[in-house]
């Protein structure tokens, strides 16, 4: 018997329509009941943590969700399924990825259409998530996001459609499992994941802001972020990791004052690299860290988590993680 703990947090999967708009109200037991017969040999217990839209979560809420998963694993669950709003599911999945190297499956899912929609996609997604969480093929894959028949690893998964039931992709990486009529089909072998020294009992993560680049973007938002107390900044750069001279200057000031800056792209797919004179090469020269193909939203959590580790260089922790290495000791 596989014991799966369902942790419900709200989102569209738990929402019903109303005069003010959709609102999450459906609790975990009703969600599980909507799936119909459970896969053979699976025993499910449920827990409601919050019942909200994920657009309203702060980083302290994300840490609470991570602690819920820790509690379920400590209590001996063979797998955990978290129902969650799709808007920020890629962030919670990523934080879970930093938090756990436990081989037991941790699976997030949700829905694009509400619980009371006549074509609700939540029951099928939750059924697939339970099948994945109970399957040997999901062990050692790290936290997975299961949606519309595919399971994506946490790192690199992105919401890529605002409305479609095929809401998630992992550009350049792809899914690792597929669910076909309740059967889990492996598409690739688990990849090693670097460990990360995240303290799950922190009340919150340090502030890290994302600053967008666009024609005419200057240093205003980088400086404003540091004035607001940010430990560092993620730049959602243009193209392969470029920004104009005024923004580059503000990045150089930030790095010189001990605030790490990560460079990601506002482009949906592909890695960043310091290639262009006066753009990426200048950001590189200023000491910014190019964050591979990480989205600005996941990079923000990586830098915030690294900035929360006492007595360690956040930049060294980030660089090691990006290189696929375990954390350097005593950096
Ligand atoms: N659109 C969202 C969802 O799919 C709302 C949220 O993130 O809670 O659940």
């Amino acid at each position: 018997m596989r014991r799966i703990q369902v942790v419900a947090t709200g989102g569209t999967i738990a929402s019903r329509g109303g005069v003010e708009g959709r609102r999450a109200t459906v609790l975990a037991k009703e969600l599980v009941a909507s799936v119909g017969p459970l896969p053979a040999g699976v025993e499910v217990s449920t827990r409601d943590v919050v019942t909200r839209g994920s657009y309203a979560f702060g980083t302290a809420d994300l840490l609470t969700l991570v602690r819920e998963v820790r509690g379920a694993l400590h209590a001996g669950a063979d797998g955990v399924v978290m129902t969650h709003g799709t808007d920020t599911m890629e962030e919670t999945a990523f934080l879970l990825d930093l938090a756990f190297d436990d081989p037991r499956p941790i699976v997030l899912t949700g829905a694009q259409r509400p619980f009371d929609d006549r074509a609700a996609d939540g029951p099928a997604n939750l059924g697939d998530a339970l099948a994945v969480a109970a399957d040997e093929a999901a062990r050692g894959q790290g936290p997975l996001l299961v949606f519309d028949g595919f399971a994506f690893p946490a790192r690199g998964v992105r919401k890529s459609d605002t409305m479609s039931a095929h809401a998630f992709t992992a550009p350049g990486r792809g899914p690792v499992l597929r669910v076909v009529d309740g059967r889990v089909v492996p598409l690739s072998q688990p990849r090693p994941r670097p460990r990360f020294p995240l303290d799950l009992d922190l009340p919150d993560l340090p502030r890290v802001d994302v600053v967008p680049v666009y024609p005419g973007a200057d240093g205003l938002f980088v400086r404003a972020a540091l004035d607001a107390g940010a430990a560092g900044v993620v730049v959602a750069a243009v193209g392969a990791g470029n920004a104009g001279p005024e923004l580059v200057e503000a990045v150089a000031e930030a790095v010189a004052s001990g605030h790490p800056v990560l460079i990601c792209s506002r482009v949906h797919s592909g890695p960043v690299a310091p290639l262009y004179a006066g753009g990426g090469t200048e950001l590189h020269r200023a000491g910014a860290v190019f964050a591979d193909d990480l989205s600005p939203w996941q990079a923000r959590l990586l830098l915030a988590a690294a900035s929360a580790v006492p007595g360690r260089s956040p930049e060294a922790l980030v660089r090691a993680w990006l290189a696929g290495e375990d954390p350097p000791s005593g950096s």
Side-chain angles (χ1 to χ4, degrees):
M1 185 62 73
R2 299 257 173 161
R3 283 164 303 151
I4 309 299
Q5 176 73 53
V6 171
V7 176
T9 73
T12 299
I13 191 170
S15 294
R16 290 191 168 98
V19 281
E20 290 170 352
R22 296 172 182 173
R23 192 179 290 282
T25 54
V26 183
L27 300 181
K29 279 201 173 21
E30 202 177 347
L31 292 177
V32 172
S34 75
V35 170
L38 296 176
V42 172
E43 182 184 285
V44 170
S45 47
T46 58
R47 195 169 147 74
D48 295 282
V49 192
V50 284
T51 310
R52 283 165 75 185
S54 72
Y55 44 81
F57 288 159
T59 44
D61 299 309
L62 268 49
L63 283 168
T64 301
L65 301 188
V66 171
R67 283 193 290 273
E68 278 294 328
V69 172
R70 178 180 63 181
L73 295 173
H74 281 178
D78 296 308
V80 181
V81 170
M82 181 181 285
T83 57
H84 193 293
T86 55
D87 288 359
T88 64
M89 203 189 289
E90 65 207 61
E91 272 115 321
T92 300
F94 185 74
L95 203 61
L96 288 165
D97 190 61
L98 289 184
F100 299 112
D101 53 11
D102 194 301
R104 286 174 287 179
I106 300 167
V107 180
L108 289 102
T109 196
Q112 286 282 67
R113 294 189 287 265
F115 189 76
D116 58 359
D117 191 290
R118 65 192 150 81
D121 52 336
N125 283 342
L126 181 53
D128 287 353
L130 291 169
V132 168
D135 201 284
E136 222 15 63
R139 272 184 79 81
Q141 293 274 15
L144 297 170
L145 192 158
V146 170
F147 221 91
D148 199 30
F150 291 93
F152 300 95
R155 179 183 177 172
V157 69
R158 291 177 175 217
K159 186 168 182 181
S160 46
D161 196 292
T162 54
M163 300 280 177
S164 163
H166 194 70
F168 288 89
T169 53
R173 292 174 177 265
V176 290
L177 307 169
R178 183 166 197 165
V179 190
V180 182
D181 196 24
R183 198 168 44 86
V184 178
V185 180
L187 301 177
S188 66
Q189 292 302 313
R191 291 194 211 128
R193 295 178 303 125
R195 287 185 300 111
F196 195 88
L198 177 62
D199 176 0
L200 303 189
D201 292 309
L202 291 168
D204 201 353
L205 294 175
R207 180 183 185 119
V208 170
D209 288 296
V210 177
V211 171
V213 179
Y214 43 85
D218 58 16
L220 175 73
F221 291 135
V222 172
R223 295 190 183 103
L226 300 192
D227 286 349
V233 169
V234 173
V235 175
V238 285
N242 298 303
E246 291 182 47
L247 207 142
V248 171
E249 194 184 311
V251 165
E253 280 169 27
V255 175
S257 65
H259 299 90
V261 177
L262 302 197
I263 305 299
C264 299
S265 180
R266 67 179 204 177
V267 180
H268 194 65
S269 174
V272 288
L275 298 176
Y276 288 88
T281 56
E282 220 39 62
L283 289 166
H284 182 65
R285 209 188 329 269
V289 179
F290 280 67
D292 195 22
D293 65 348
L294 213 53
S295 74
W297 326 115
Q298 293 195 339
R300 168 184 175 255
L301 289 174
L302 176 63
L303 182 53
S307 303
V309 183
R312 308 284 285 275
S313 153
E315 187 188 322
L317 289 169
V318 165
R319 285 191 191 277
W321 188 90
L322 287 169
E325 292 160 7
D326 285 340
S329 47
S331 59

